Amino acid sequence: GSCWRRCCPGRNNACWATGAHQARCYCDSYCERTGDCCKDYHAACRRAVMGCAVGPWGPWSGCSSLCGVGSEARSRQVTIPPHHGGEPCPDLKQRRGCLGEHPTCGRAK
């Protein structure tokens, strides 16, 4: 079977070709784990391996609590998703603790 123009990222049961003796062989990157790749998988698909790329972190949000312990969050976007078994994306969200210090906090009872 041939993977020519049939390469798929991840696990995709619809990404196959007819191999020897009419058996299915696969052209998804998961076939490397299961050992059922088409014989030209590496030549046709591995050249197109691309790891995930992400943009810069956005700004931290404001503290979730006006007075006392809360949290802040920030995120970033995927600019290029992984292709054909490339490195998966890193974390896209971060959270950290903060202390809300709104001017009215000292007056609250």
Side-chain angles (χ1 to χ4, degrees), residues 28-79:
D28 59 351
S29 58
Y30 198 76
C31 74
E32 292 186 293
R33 291 186 185 176
T34 55
D36 54 2
C37 298
C38 294
K39 60 185 173 185
D40 69 342
Y41 171 75
H42 288 283
C45 301
R46 295 304 289 175
R47 287 182 291 175
V49 169
M50 186 178 302
C52 182
V54 295
W57 287 106
W60 287 102
S61 68
C63 192
S64 63
S65 174
L66 291 177
C67 301
V69 178
S71 63
E72 299 173 328
R74 69 179 182 172
S75 63
R76 58 185 172 181
Q77 301 294 317
V78 173
T79 56

